[in-house]
Amino acid sequence: AQSVAQPEDQVNVAEGNPLTVKCTYSVSGNPYLFWYVQYPNRGLQFLLKYITGDNLVKGSYGFEAEFNKSQTSFHLKKPSALVSDSALYFCAVRDILNYGGSQGNLIFGKGTKLSVKP
Amino acid sequence: DAGVTQSPTHLIKTRGQQVTLRCSPISGHKSVSWYQQVLGQGPQFIFQYYEKEERGRGNFPDRFSARQFPNYSSELNVNALLLGDSALYLCASSLEGWNEQYFGPGTRLTVT
């Protein structure tokens, strides 16, 4: 079965410091990986995706993610955190095994709460 | 362009009742997916529709059903509501079934 794991329930960072939110995956074949952010009482916002190519993917709001095949990881990073980055972050993998029809639905991790303090 | 819209924003229902949630995708998007997000968890896939046909179904009971209309909007129906159905229901649209998905703000369903 395909899955993603986010090992940290919460990450605390001081404003201006670099941040990393961790994600590991387990898939059959090539992974299609995504990061989404969720602000309180809001839906999910797409940040970035990895399909193929460069291992360093750049996304919205200054975020980037590093794909590491040998470690089966897809960690989200930002060089300098802002207080406004405080939110819930979800890693997701596309369910390419669901050949019953959909190749587009996503399997999400449980989320990591990022808290950036001034 | 308007993003994905969902209605209603909040809903309170009693056990055993039925509920219908609505979603309008981003203009030009042909695929709509529904997810359930229980508090403290990541979203769980319920259904995906593409060009008005069901293309995928998650591990949810038959009390859950959905459909997509010719204008690509969609409805999610849940019958015989249980307390455990209380959740944020998210709709997502994509150009085709396999592109990145864009989510609406969700409908918060509370079952009492």
Side-chain angles (χ1 to χ4, degrees), chain A residues 34 36 38 41-46 49 88 90 94-95 98-111, chain B residues 33 35 37 40-45 48 54-58 88 90 97-106 108:
Chain A
F34 302 81
Y36 284 84
Q38 185 176 37
N41 300 315
R42 303 280 293 276
L44 277 70
Q45 295 181 28
F46 170 74
K49 67 180 178 182
L88 195 53
F90 290 97
R94 178 172 292 153
D95 183 9
N98 187 2
Y99 289 122
S102 164
Q103 290 187 330
N105 65 279
L106 300 172
I107 299 170
F108 286 88
K110 62 178 174 56
Chain B
S33 296
Y35 292 82
Q37 186 180 16
Q41 301 290 325
Q44 296 285 317
F45 171 68
Q48 184 182 48
E54 181 183 305
R55 292 300 185 94
R57 173 185 286 254
L88 181 68
L90 295 164
W98 48 269
N99 301 99
E100 58 267 25
Q101 298 181 0
Y102 293 88
F103 285 79
R108 173 73 62 187

Side-chain angles (χ1 to χ4, degrees), chain B residues 65-86:
Chain B
S65 64
R67 55 181 174 168
Q68 186 177 33
F69 299 99
N71 66 355
Y72 301 111
S73 67
S74 178
E75 286 182 352
L76 175 70
N77 295 286
V78 187
N79 293 323
L81 285 167
L82 303 174
L83 294 178
D85 294 331
S86 296

